[in-house]
Amino acid sequence: MNFSTHIQILLSKIYIPVFWTIVVVFLLCIPGTMLPNEQNFSIPYFDKIVHMILFGMFVFLWCFYLNGRHYNSKRLVLLFFIVFILAEALGIAMEFVQKCCVPFRDFSKGDIIADLLGAGIAYGICNTFLIGENNSQ
């Protein structure tokens, strides 16, 4: 087996997307006082980039896992869309959790937009490459 095959086998295990989901929820529930001080580490829109990566990887890992289940293309399109919708629901819900339940964190429409962008880009990539790959098999 080559390296690519090993990566595909690893990503087809359910514990990878489950672990990532736990990481996303954990990171979004950290109290604001535990976050790094941005005064010494100033990258414009760094918070938004982090949100895009968190939710982009969420969609990618769940779609890659589902792709490994060998569903037909029509079913994968539906499942990938459901993953995208769940990512958005999680992103919106976590903003409200931050507003109401996490000390020193607040609600941000910008974070929700970043979540949408990250999830949307990953959703598009997965639809283009994973479902296209599934059709060629």
Side-chain angles (χ1 to χ4, degrees), residues 5-128:
T5 305
H6 286 294
I7 295 297
Q8 287 177 342
I9 290 169
L10 177 65
L11 290 177
S12 68
K13 306 295 183 190
I14 193 159
Y15 56 83
I16 301 294
V18 168
F19 175 76
W20 188 257
T21 302
I22 293 167
V23 166
V24 169
V25 171
F26 174 78
L27 290 175
L28 294 177
C29 289
I30 293 174
T33 55
M34 294 180 67
L35 296 173
N37 185 351
E38 291 184 26
Q39 291 174 353
N40 299 330
F41 185 71
S42 182
I43 296 175
Y45 304 108
F46 180 72
D47 177 48
K48 306 310 177 231
I49 294 167
V50 169
H51 276 264
M52 289 178 67
I53 292 169
L54 289 174
F55 284 88
M57 285 299 295
F58 176 92
V59 169
F60 175 77
L61 291 172
W62 278 108
C63 288
F64 205 98
Y65 167 74
L66 291 169
N67 189 60
R69 305 284 64 90
H70 304 294
Y71 294 115
N72 65 40
S73 295
K74 188 174 181 179
R75 179 121 180 155
L76 277 178
V77 168
L78 175 63
L79 291 172
F80 285 9
F81 183 71
I82 290 169
V83 167
F84 170 72
I85 294 300
L86 289 173
E88 288 312 304
L90 178 63
I92 293 167
M94 291 309 301
E95 285 303 313
F96 283 101
V97 167
Q98 286 179 348
K99 179 181 181 180
C100 300
C101 305
V102 182
F104 306 106
R105 298 287 291 264
D106 56 0
F107 180 89
S108 169
K109 290 178 186 174
D111 287 350
I112 292 173
I113 292 169
D115 299 343
L116 175 67
L117 284 172
I121 290 167
Y123 171 66
I125 290 169
C126 290
N127 271 316
T128 302

